[in-house]
Amino acid sequence: MAHPLSPVSPPLKDELDIVIPTIRNLDFLEMWRPFFQPYHLIIVQDGDPSKTIRVPEGFDYELYNRNDVNRVLGPKASCISFKDSACRCFGFLVSKKKYIFTIDDDCFVAKDPSGIEINALAQHIENLLKPSTPFFFNTLYDPFRDGADFVRGYPFSLREGAPTAISHGLWLNIPDYDAPTQLVKPLERNSRYVDAVMTIPKGTIFPMCGMNLAFNRELIGPAMYFGLMGDGQPIGRYDDMWAGWCAKVICDHLSLGVKTGLPYIWHSKASNPFVNLKKEYKGIYWQEEIIPFFQSVALPKESTSVQKCYIELAKQVKQKLGPVDPYFQKLGDAMVTWIEAWDELNSTAKAQAQTQATASQPNGVKK
């Protein structure tokens, strides 16, 4: 007599949280239900905390709004951006899981060239669980994928690779452009599906996009701070890129890897380029100073943890970018506050109890 097959548990089901920043009802989750429903969601509600956000039935989630942020962090809540998707990093802070996947609420399930729906989360997990190759470029891209290997001439001493800290996914349909590029290419859509994953080489920084992103929270979590953006700040739309620049410098210093490429999601909604230009215009000037700073920054060998690296980076941001604009002094201070909040919430049983108590409040509901 044949025995029924045991149900296969989704990968990392109890080790991964999905973090979603939003200002609207999360109807987009219906399309993701086959892929997301087994996992725990952390929803960070931006804007007016009195507004009720509807989450489709059947999802296991916590919902935090600005009142909850203030309750959990007290005075340190000042480091969490308001009216900006950078608020998502509060979800990284209160998670207790090893891995995080974060996605925007205007992103839908994409299809590969054969018409099969892409399980973006499963591909991110595959990326994170396999090593990266930051120290020597493999011309077949990721040698750990099925059907690939290290090419001739690749040093055998480097073939073990490095732990993967970040998996950076891409997008079909609406490209992730800045406002000037949006204005000159208003009808451009990305239809190119490139079936590749590659490790970003050591010493190379990149513009990280937060709309389709996963990372190993234990390896790099304290560096995934999306900065001070949005309401009350002179800049917006640089939150994910700031986190990416900081995290990549630290990954290079600590011999960790960053992958980019698969998986794709379908980015459905182009934001207003004129609104974006207002948010970005100082960043467009400042990035000409910011990027050389990150390309040349050096961390001392005594910086042996992500927290130590990040505190050192905050100090150098204030010293070297502070003269560009006083904003960077404020940002450097916020970076330190972020690390203090991270250590406070992730070091003690008391912090865990505090977070759970907050999640039981009317606007921080665990379901």
Side-chain angles (χ1 to χ4, degrees), residues 66-81:
R66 193 69 201 189
N67 294 338
D68 302 312
V69 173
N70 293 337
R71 191 180 298 113
V72 172
L73 296 183
K76 294 184 179 70
S78 61
C79 74
I80 304 297
S81 299

Side-chain angles (χ1 to χ4, degrees), residues 290-361:
I290 295 170
I291 291 171
F293 163 75
F294 281 108
Q295 287 174 324
S296 61
V297 70
L299 298 172
K301 65 178 185 297
E302 294 78 22
S303 297
T304 53
S305 69
V306 177
Q307 283 94 325
K308 288 178 181 177
C309 289
Y310 205 73
I311 293 294
E312 173 63 27
L313 204 49
K315 183 175 81 175
Q316 294 195 36
V317 164
K318 292 176 71 173
Q319 287 174 349
K320 297 178 182 178
L321 293 178
V324 174
D325 192 273
Y327 164 74
F328 290 100
Q329 297 283 348
K330 188 177 179 183
L331 178 55
D333 288 337
M335 292 167 71
V336 174
T337 302
W338 162 261
I339 292 297
E340 290 171 351
W342 185 279
D343 287 343
E344 191 176 299
L345 263 74
N346 290 281
S347 304
T348 66
K350 176 187 171 188
Q352 192 164 4
Q354 179 189 20
T355 307
Q356 289 170 345
T358 303
S360 67
Q361 299 296 326

Side-chain angles (χ1 to χ4, degrees), residues 4-34:
L5 292 173
S6 300
V8 177
S9 181
L12 304 182
K13 176 181 178 296
D14 299 316
E15 298 180 73
L16 181 143
D17 280 332
I18 300 174
V19 174
I20 305 168
T22 192
I23 56 170
R24 59 181 65 87
N25 292 334
L26 293 182
D27 300 324
F28 93 113
L29 284 173
E30 288 294 355
M31 192 176 193
W32 287 103
R33 188 181 290 276

